[in-house]
Amino acid sequence: MDFAFSEEQEMLRRSTRDFLAKECSPKVVRKLMEGSGYDAAMWKKIADLGWTALGIPEEYGGAGTFLDLVVVLEEAGRALLPGPFFATMGLAVPAILEAGTEAQKKEALGAIAQGSARATLAFTEPSGRWDAGSVSLKATRAGGGWKLEGVKLFVPDAGVADYTVVVARTRGDGRPRSEDEDGITLFLVKGRPAGMTVNPLETLDMTRRWGEIRFDDVQLGDDAVMGAPNKAWPHLKRALEQSTAALCAEMVGGVQKVLETSTDYAKTRQQFGKPIGIYQAVSHKLADMLVLSESGRSATYYAAWAVDADAPDRSLASSMAKAYVSDAYRKVAGDGIQVHGGIGFTWEHDMHLYFKRAKSSEVTLGDATYHRELVAQALDL
Amino acid sequence: MDFDLSPDEKAFRDQVRAWLKANAPRDGDGDGDMETFIERRRAWQKKLSEAGYVGITWPEEYGGRGGNFMNQLIFNDEMILAQAPEPINVIGLGMGGPVVIAHGTEEQKKRYLPPLLSAEEIWCQGFSEPNAGSDLSGLQTRAEDRGDHYIVNGQKVWTTLAHVAKWCMLLARERKEPNPRDGLTYLLVDMESPGVEVRPLVQITGDAEFNEIFFKDVKVPKSQILGEACKGWAVAMTTLLHERGTLGLALATRAQITAAELAEHARKLGRGADPLVRQKIAQHTIEARALQLNGYRAVTAVKRSGIPGPEGSILKLMWSELNQRMTETAVDIAGPSGQVSDGDGWKYQFLRSRANTIEAGTSEVLRNILAERVLGLPRSR
């Protein structure tokens, strides 16, 4: 057993951090946050570094492992990298890998690895839930293909995705039922077919864009179906486990950055003639933030390994990580503002960007309460 | 990163598993009163040590197994699976042995380590005093230099196992120095010496698990100095690092056991239908797992540096506070029955856990250590 990244992975971490410090400074993040949220030139640089090939098998044009991707995602989270990197690499790629046909993998993964396509996963609906029973978007047989009718909400980076993995219900009466794992089909939608409209949402965390996608009588060919109709849930579930580990990696990068920034501030900010970090009311808060950061990281790294190695506890490990890290990021980001005092509450300071990212990540792929319930089920309570 | 066991590690695991299956005392046996408890645990340690499962990482020439930390981890995990009790000599194994290995002479290692492993000689720790708890260097027990021996006078308190111990790791003041950390001498005191008196200290559980030790003109030969005279502080710090680091791993193991027992307790009581209970127990289980994974990461770090770092304080801090929450949940979910004296031991554990955040470094001291030595914040004292 070895619970550490390899030397090569640590090198990748250093070069990623250097690149992001230069290319994705807080100034850049704010510009994107206030603008379109996506910078094609930055995407090209990212692709040139090989990040968009990580975790994609060589046969589809990829290079590098999922754990390499975890390292990059952690740094991306630390820098609050805006744009569809997580949506593409963390959400869409695992779904395509788990459920896609050979032809779909060749085409979509190849384009993603090359840097010429971005992608996302359209799962949630107005209920905001992440279980199988929440899926009610209807796909029915029509002509030689399929017809999609319904709404997907809170879809990350829907506006810039070239491929959208759509989770649809193809059996049953369309009424959400939590036990309804049978009857779910995935579709790989390329571009914007007629009847598909994307409406951007204004959200708390504008470093990450969410959109509403409306499917109004959207016609798709049979080649859009991913795997066997009605039987997609087990594949999607595995993909979501991987996505969850990937998101946790991004989150622990943010946690660590908030801890470092707050610790530095406590060392230099003087009150009553002393650095505030000398007062235990402050230093003990930072010690607690350290415990949350370290534990979140341990849980995340293990989950990443477990999904990658297909360990028997991969599902439990990813739920444990998401439950822990969701709470940890929210708490640490909030305490980070508190340690900074008034300056931490200003628009000018970066603390609020992390506080908002913490909140938006918390509800993505299921919050702590949802994942604790999954853990309780695994404990047979 | 790799959590799979190597073929050697697998072979070791299988061997331990088979041995524990054949030899571990049954869970339902019960420990009875304090005397029976001590004798049963002593016999259990003897059996373990004869099989080579005590002092797994200690050098072979002193009776250890000469194994690595992975062997220790595997052994700990197997102990959980087998629900096997801990050996009796917890203080000696967690602190006494490691500190003798680090600071002892060749003669001392040969003299003290083998009977410690076999539980023929039990160890206790004489650090805390009525007026020196967290501020250890303020201790008042005196060691007076009389040429080839010392005369020790003073009082120690909160001494686990003192009533059955053969050796006490005693920290005493030999000289007054401007810096109170100078002038302290670390002695191994024979608890059978004339002038040593042990008085049980009844605690909030009603049991007397701790003791006070009174030293009145106790003669201690200089051959029983550990390290150098007047330089006992460094030896004491090694002891505490091991207490919080190596012992931290054992605590991570214990947290797994407690979490599993708590889940079983909830199932037996039929409380699994209550969503709040489910959430709580899942959260405890997740924290116990995060604690264990932190321990695994610490082991990887120790493999590189050789000694446990201050990060070990995280394990002890997390365990103590988690154990209080877990035992409280156990009592709470039993309702009024949780108040009644019972056979399952939760009421006792609930009370006993209040000491967890005080013994072996209070949570306040541990947060200071994390703030100062890990985060580099200014010293508060």
Side-chain angles (χ1 to χ4, degrees):
Chain A
M1 189 187 84
D2 181 35
F3 200 165
F5 288 103
S6 68
E7 200 134 309
E8 291 76 17
Q9 284 163 336
E10 288 304 333
M11 272 170 60
L12 173 65
R13 179 188 300 285
R14 280 192 294 276
S15 66
T16 304
R17 189 172 294 187
D18 291 347
F19 171 84
L20 288 169
K22 216 172 88 214
E23 302 287 338
C24 187
S25 66
K27 223 172 115 185
V28 173
V29 172
R30 282 166 183 270
K31 213 179 115 208
L32 284 165
M33 179 178 86
E34 281 149 21
S36 73
Y38 171 66
D39 176 0
M42 191 194 278
W43 192 265
K44 172 144 194 347
K45 285 180 191 168
I46 283 173
D48 288 347
L49 286 170
W51 296 1
T52 56
L54 297 173
I56 295 177
E58 278 173 42
E59 55 197 295
Y60 308 120
T65 64
F66 177 64
L67 289 178
D68 298 337
L69 177 65
V70 161
V71 170
V72 171
L73 279 169
E74 196 180 333
E75 293 305 312
R78 183 185 169 91
L80 292 173
L81 174 70
F85 188 67
F86 171 72
T88 304
M89 306 308 295
L91 288 172
V93 168
I96 298 167
L97 270 174
E98 286 289 344
T101 63
E102 208 46 35
Q104 287 164 339
K105 287 184 200 172
K106 274 217 173 83
E107 183 197 315
L109 294 179
I112 289 168
Q114 251 181 37
S116 60
R118 288 134 299 274
T120 192
L121 171 73
F123 185 115
T124 46
E125 300 184 6
S127 75
R129 280 160 48 193
W130 286 92
D131 56 311
S134 74
V135 177
S136 68
L137 181 131
K138 238 177 154 164
T140 44
R141 274 278 175 200
W146 297 81
K147 187 182 78 169
L148 267 59
E149 194 74 50
V151 179
K152 288 289 174 184
L153 203 52
F154 321 117
V155 180
D157 302 285
V160 293
D162 303 291
Y163 291 96
T164 306
V165 176
V166 180
V167 187
R169 184 158 295 287
T170 42
R171 185 183 283 164
D173 53 12
R175 272 210 315 267
R177 277 193 299 258
S178 60
E179 71 274 19
D180 256 358
E181 292 179 0
D182 188 38
I184 289 190
T185 304
L186 298 182
F187 294 89
L188 184 63
V189 178
K190 191 176 174 181
R192 300 258 177 96
M196 175 178 171
T197 48
V198 176
N199 304 309
L201 301 173
E202 190 154 330
T203 59
L204 188 76
D205 169 27
M206 287 300 274
T207 63
R208 177 115 81 210
R209 296 307 162 90
W210 282 354
E212 176 203 54
I213 310 182
R214 302 195 78 90
F215 295 86
D216 187 13
D217 196 9
V218 174
Q219 305 287 329
L220 298 174
D222 252 344
D223 57 352
V225 178
M226 300 170 73
N230 296 319
K231 302 291 173 202
W233 180 253
H235 302 287
L236 181 58
K237 183 171 176 288
R238 286 172 57 84
L240 291 174
E241 287 162 8
Q242 189 157 359
S243 301
T244 300
L247 179 59
C248 288
E250 232 200 31
M251 293 168 79
V252 296
V255 171
Q256 179 65 24
K257 178 66 179 173
V258 172
L259 171 63
E260 287 172 21
T261 308
S262 305
T263 302
D264 288 346
Y265 187 74
K267 286 177 188 171
T268 49
R269 166 75 175 174
Q270 302 244 341
Q271 285 292 279
F272 307 103
K274 289 172 186 164
I276 59 169
I278 209 165
Y279 304 113
Q280 289 171 333
V282 175
S283 69
H284 286 193
K285 196 182 279 299
L286 289 162
D288 286 337
M289 291 159 72
L290 171 72
V291 171
L292 291 169
S293 176
E294 289 301 310
S295 308
R297 205 197 299 260
S298 296
T300 297
Y301 291 171
Y302 181 75
W305 176 83
V307 294
D308 191 44
D310 213 3
D313 62 344
R314 53 176 283 157
S315 175
L316 182 64
S318 76
S319 279
M320 282 188 163
K322 186 58 168 59
Y324 194 94
V325 173
S326 293
D327 285 343
Y329 200 179
R330 181 191 59 239
K331 175 88 169 72
V332 167
D335 284 349
I337 293 177
Q338 183 67 21
V339 168
H340 279 81
I343 189 76
F345 184 67
T346 62
W347 187 262
E348 175 198 0
H349 200 281
D350 294 334
M351 269 302 137
H352 71 101
L353 304 182
Y354 289 91
F355 185 71
K356 291 168 182 170
R357 177 62 79 83
K359 189 45 95 177
S360 76
S361 303
E362 184 184 337
V363 300
T364 301
L365 291 168
D367 63 8
T369 307
Y370 172 75
H371 284 283
R372 273 193 293 266
E373 172 54 29
L374 294 183
V375 171
Q377 287 169 20
L379 289 173
D380 211 5
L381 280 179
Chain B
M1 199 172 315
D2 188 1
F3 289 86
D4 283 331
L5 299 181
S6 70
D8 280 359
E9 289 165 350
K10 274 194 186 126
F12 179 70
R13 182 197 61 191
D14 294 344
Q15 180 199 332
V16 172
R17 189 171 292 179
W19 189 88
L20 284 173
K21 199 171 174 214
N23 294 283
R26 305 295 318 152
D27 190 37
D29 285 357
D31 284 318
D33 59 16
M34 190 57 90
E35 220 165 290
T36 322
F37 171 85
I38 300 274
E39 282 324 305
R40 282 196 178 156
R41 292 292 173 98
R42 196 199 279 266
W44 169 231
Q45 185 178 332
K46 188 160 188 292
K47 207 167 177 182
L48 279 169
S49 99
E50 282 164 4
Y53 295 133
V54 186
I56 286 173
T57 61
W58 299 10
E60 278 174 274
E61 59 260 51
Y62 312 120
R65 189 184 184 91
N68 55 32
F69 277 98
M70 254 332 281
N71 297 132
Q72 184 69 57
L73 266 190
I74 291 167
F75 179 75
N76 289 355
D77 287 350
E78 291 304 314
M79 288 279 279
I80 305 177
L81 270 178
Q83 299 186 315
E86 285 178 277
I88 181 71
N89 217 351
V90 279
I91 308 286
L93 293 170
M95 294 178 257
V99 83
V100 168
I101 291 168
H103 295 278
T105 63
E106 193 54 31
E107 291 74 33
Q108 287 174 327
K109 290 180 200 175
K110 285 200 174 116
R111 164 64 191 83
Y112 296 113
L113 297 177
L116 191 165
L117 289 169
S118 65
E120 269 162 72
E121 293 179 350
I122 292 175
W123 286 50
C124 66
Q125 178 195 17
F127 282 19
S128 294
E129 297 184 3
N131 290 312
S134 292
D135 183 9
L136 182 59
S137 65
L139 60 83
Q140 285 157 15
T141 295
R142 304 284 313 223
E144 212 181 303
D145 188 343
R146 292 283 178 84
D148 67 341
H149 67 274
Y150 289 101
I151 293 296
V152 171
N153 279 287
Q155 181 191 354
K156 295 289 175 179
V157 74
W158 314 122
T159 321
T160 308
L161 294 172
H163 57 303
V164 287
K166 167 71 175 171
W167 296 105
C168 176
M169 298 174 262
L170 183 86
L171 197 58
R173 179 157 301 286
E174 180 170 343
R175 276 209 305 266
K176 268 219 154 77
E177 298 282 355
N179 181 345
R181 293 176 176 189
D182 297 331
L184 297 169
T185 298
Y186 197 114
L187 295 169
L188 301 178
V189 178
D190 186 342
M191 293 291 284
E192 290 164 19
S193 312
V196 174
E197 190 199 340
V198 175
R199 289 185 206 156
L201 194 61
V202 179
Q203 62 215 43
I204 66 174
T205 57
D207 281 355
E209 176 198 357
F210 299 108
N211 304 272
E212 293 176 287
I213 315 179
F214 295 86
F215 298 91
K216 192 163 185 299
D217 295 330
V218 176
K219 191 174 160 184
V220 183
K222 281 196 171 165
S223 61
Q224 287 164 213
I225 302 175
L226 201 55
E228 285 177 56
C230 291
K231 299 216 168 131
W233 185 256
V235 187
M237 287 307 105
T238 305
T239 314
L240 295 179
L241 271 182
H242 278 283
E243 179 171 30
R244 291 160 197 158
T246 319
L247 201 70
L249 275 186
L251 294 177
T253 304
R254 203 183 294 176
Q256 292 290 305
I257 298 172
T258 310
E261 286 175 351
L262 176 57
E264 178 60 25
H265 179 59
R267 282 192 293 265
K268 270 191 191 151
L269 290 169
R271 295 300 311 272
D274 182 337
L276 294 180
V277 171
R278 296 172 73 80
Q279 286 283 312
K280 241 186 189 174
I281 291 177
Q283 180 63 22
H284 295 328
T285 307
I286 291 163
E287 288 179 38
R289 179 64 172 157
L291 167 62
Q292 187 186 35
L293 291 168
N294 281 342
Y296 288 175
R297 271 176 69 219
V299 166
T300 301
V302 169
K303 255 201 284 192
R304 288 178 191 161
S305 69
I307 48 156
E311 294 82 3
S313 297
I314 291 182
L315 302 181
K316 198 277 173 173
L317 176 64
M318 284 179 80
W319 170 76
S320 59
E321 299 189 348
L322 172 61
N323 199 43
Q324 289 180 348
R325 289 193 291 272
M326 289 196 290
T327 53
E328 182 155 32
T329 299
V331 168
D332 287 353
I333 63 175
S337 308
Q339 311 290 305
V340 180
S341 290
D342 56 352
D344 65 13
W346 285 113
K347 188 170 66 83
Y348 172 83
Q349 292 300 334
F350 164 65
L351 293 172
R352 178 61 183 81
S353 73
R354 299 319 303 182
N356 297 156
T357 48
I358 301 166
E359 59 199 344
T362 64
S363 289
E364 289 73 19
V365 163
L366 297 180
R367 287 190 170 88
N368 282 346
I369 290 173
L370 295 180
E372 292 163 15
R373 295 200 217 147
V374 181
L375 294 176
L377 289 165
R379 286 181 61 86
S380 57
R381 318 167 292 290

